[in-house]
């Protein structure tokens, strides 16, 4: 069994990005920059944003934090997003989700300029991906694809079963892996909470991806020997430990390759965010010149 080490691969991608950032700076005389917007005091969101900003700074990007109280009216948040849309120093805008209940997330996501939408969640970027002309790929699914590709796992022609159809993981991952392009071209099946017999589908897969948020959901009897398993889930148990959506030890015994949790898909998400921010800076510079 081959362990798909996301921590190490993310470090490699960050190094590549850091080098590309320096080339960008010497060419254009400015740094790619990411503005993070955080509303409220959700402790997990604070940690995510802190880690994302730290990662930006480590690769030589500029980063700004706009921290607003939970009571911020939606109109005020939209005003800030508009200001960031117009700021030429800001190439990427990250609005950390979830937002407080009185704010409509879809409205805020749509307000981010498509060229600065480095999460790739907005309708223009998702639409481009669905149409087969991707601009920025959503970070977590892009990280899953990179984990496969850079470990020489054949995606072209593979049977891929994705469990989970969220807008941030399962659905965009299906779109990415079925692109008519090298490093994709998979036959993709997407399962969800209304799928009748999930093991029937997962047992046929060359590659199984689980992204549902249910601890140890995928058990060894649900895969075929030699399958590749990507575990996107992050679940904190009562004893404080972190586990994925895969019953790791028994599944690892029969899988040909598997991601650990933590240290698998998680670190890849931030690495791909940095990658998108650099792409955004390049696109915006090109548009202005
Ligand atoms: P989500 O928005 O809650 O979506 C969960 C999806 O799983 C839904 O499509 C749901 O089906 C499906 N589902 C739930 N229970 C199921 C079951 N018993 N059988 C089959 N399908 C089931 O979750 P998400 O945001 O995609 O996140 C999923 C997991 O990935 C979470 O653990 C999250 O923490 C983790 N995550 C990790 C990263 C990372 O960087 N590693 C990033 C994002 C998320 P329906 O659509 O039918 O409701």
């Amino acid at each position: 069994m081959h362990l798909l080490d996301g921590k190490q691969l993310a470090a490699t991608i960050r190094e590549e990005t850091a080098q590309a950032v320096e080339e960008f700076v010497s060419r254009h005389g400015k740094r790619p920059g990411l503005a993070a917007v955080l509303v409220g005091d959700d402790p997990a969101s604070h940690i995510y944003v802190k880690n994302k900003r730290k990662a930006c700074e480590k690769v030589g990007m500029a980063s700004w934090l706009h921290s607003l109280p939970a009571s911020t009216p939606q109109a005020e948040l939209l005003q800030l997003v508009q200001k960031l849309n117009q700021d030429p120093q800001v190439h990427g805008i990250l609005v950390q989700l979830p937002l407080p209940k009185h704010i409509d997330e879809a409205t805020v996501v749509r307000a981010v300029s498509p060229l600065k939408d480095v999460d790739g969640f907005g309708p223009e970027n998702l639409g481009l991906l669905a149409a087969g002309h991707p601009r920025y790929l959503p970070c977590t699914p892009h990280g899953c694809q990179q984990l496969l590709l850079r470990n020489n796992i054949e995606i072209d022609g593979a049977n891929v079963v994705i469990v989970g159809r969220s807008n941030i993981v399962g659905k965009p991952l299906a779109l990415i892996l079925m692109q008519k392009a090298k490093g994709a071209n998979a036959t993709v099946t997407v399962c969800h909470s209304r799928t009748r017999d999930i093991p029937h589908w997962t047992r046929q897969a060359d590659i199984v991806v689980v992204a549902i948020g249910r601890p140890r959901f995928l058990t060894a009897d649900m895969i075929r020997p030699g399958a590749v398993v990507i575990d996107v889930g992050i679940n904190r148990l009562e004893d404080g430990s972190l586990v994925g959506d895969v019953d790791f030890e028994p599944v690892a015994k029969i899988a040909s390759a598997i991601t650990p949790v933590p240290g698998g898909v998680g670190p890849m998400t931030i690495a791909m965010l940095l990658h998108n921010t650099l792409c955004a800076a390049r696109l915006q510079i090109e548009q202005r010149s």
Side-chain angles (χ1 to χ4, degrees):
M1 182 276 300
H2 176 57
L3 197 68
L4 302 171
D5 185 343
K7 207 170 156 189
Q8 195 177 34
L9 178 54
T12 304
I13 293 176
R14 282 199 306 270
E15 272 167 35
E16 292 167 5
T17 307
Q19 210 167 25
V21 165
E22 286 323 306
E23 281 161 22
F24 182 93
V25 174
S26 56
R27 202 153 163 191
H28 303 292
K30 53 170 78 174
R31 292 197 175 270
L34 178 76
V37 180
L38 185 56
V39 188
D41 37 29
D42 176 55
S45 293
H46 272 264
I47 294 172
Y48 290 144
V49 168
K50 195 174 113 200
N51 290 343
K52 288 170 184 174
R53 291 193 63 217
K54 214 160 78 186
C56 266
E57 283 157 16
K58 269 194 170 161
V59 298
M61 290 182 181
S63 92
W64 302 270
L65 172 63
H66 296 269
S67 191
L68 305 176
S71 59
T72 303
Q74 178 167 314
E76 201 177 302
L77 174 59
L78 290 173
Q79 260 175 12
L80 171 63
V81 170
Q82 287 310 340
K83 203 176 109 202
L84 297 173
N85 282 344
Q86 278 148 26
D87 185 340
Q89 308 262 59
V90 173
H91 302 105
I93 301 172
L94 172 116
V95 181
Q96 184 64 43
L97 303 178
L99 292 169
K101 293 221 160 36
H102 66 281
I103 296 176
D104 180 42
E105 281 186 3
T107 303
V108 177
V109 167
R110 279 189 206 128
V112 174
S113 157
L115 280 179
K116 298 191 178 187
D117 168 29
V118 285
D119 267 329
F121 293 162
E124 183 168 316
N125 287 307
L126 280 179
L128 285 169
L129 172 61
H133 306 289
R135 181 195 279 143
Y136 308 134
L137 297 177
C139 304
T140 302
H142 191 195
C144 294
Q145 185 195 32
Q146 287 298 309
L147 267 168
L148 294 167
L149 289 177
R150 296 203 190 205
N151 283 283
N152 299 317
I153 292 164
E154 182 83 3
I155 303 175
D156 283 64
N159 282 336
V160 177
V161 173
I162 300 168
V163 191
R165 59 173 165 183
S166 74
N167 286 337
I168 62 168
V169 189
K171 206 185 287 176
L173 180 61
L175 291 171
I176 290 171
L177 298 183
M178 66 191 228
Q179 291 289 303
K180 193 169 181 175
K182 205 166 171 291
N185 284 322
T187 303
V188 181
T189 304
V190 180
C191 299
H192 45 77
S193 69
R194 303 299 180 93
T195 300
R196 271 194 213 120
D197 182 358
I198 292 177
H200 164 79
W201 299 105
T202 51
R203 277 189 209 117
Q204 295 177 50
D206 302 310
I207 300 170
V208 183
V209 183
V210 198
I212 62 175
R214 302 280 179 273
R216 302 188 181 117
F217 171 88
L218 190 89
T219 47
D221 58 326
M222 291 171 75
I223 67 162
R224 66 163 185 76
V228 172
V229 178
I230 304 283
D231 189 353
V232 183
I234 303 175
N235 308 288
R236 194 168 288 281
L237 301 182
E238 272 178 14
D239 66 2
S241 59
L242 276 188
V243 296
D245 289 349
V246 174
D247 192 10
F248 184 82
E249 263 109 46
V251 171
K253 280 197 183 119
I254 56 169
S256 61
I258 186 168
T259 56
V261 175
V265 175
M268 295 298 292
T269 300
I270 296 186
M272 302 331 291
L273 175 71
L274 302 176
H275 168 85
N276 279 354
T277 305
L278 176 64
C279 294
R282 284 180 179 146
L283 272 181
Q284 285 161 67
I285 287 275
E286 273 168 22
Q287 265 207 351
R288 276 186 217 121
S289 54

